[in-house]
Amino acid sequence: MNRIACIAMLLIGAIPLGAPDALAQGRSSDPPTIQIAPFVGYQFGGSIFSETFNRKFSFKSGLNWGGSVDFAIGETWRFEAYYSRQDTELQSSGLAGAGLDVKVERL
């Protein structure tokens, strides 16, 4: 949970960086300089092949959530950060026992 809190604080802390430019110049009709887009979806499973174990491992399908933040850092430049997370299970046929719980995070 600490990693999620740190990423959220970074994204939220970056928001004021784009706002002063538009406010200082009094451009109220300009489009917003900051965009925040949360999402929730369903991620289909996939698979990876391990050379070490000479075996294919599969990810279960499951809930995927995250968001992005986008803001202006110059007149023609923008910065965008994206984060997503999926709690899933890594399985392989032929192995005894339950699968391994995995959290797939993308930044």
Side-chain angles (χ1 to χ4, degrees), residues 38-98:
F39 72 87
V40 175
Y42 188 80
Q43 180 78 36
F44 293 99
S47 63
I48 57 174
F49 182 80
S50 171
E51 294 287 338
T52 304
F53 298 109
N54 195 29
R55 182 177 299 274
K56 181 178 173 183
F57 292 90
S58 299
F59 293 100
K60 288 179 73 176
S61 300
L63 182 70
N64 183 26
W65 58 271
S68 67
V69 63
D70 177 287
F71 57 88
I73 57 174
E75 194 168 313
T76 59
W77 288 85
R78 298 191 68 82
F79 173 81
E80 183 170 283
Y82 170 84
Y83 173 79
S84 73
R85 177 179 171 143
Q86 178 190 11
D87 295 324
T88 185
E89 189 175 296
L90 192 61
Q91 300 175 327
S92 181
S93 61
L95 290 180

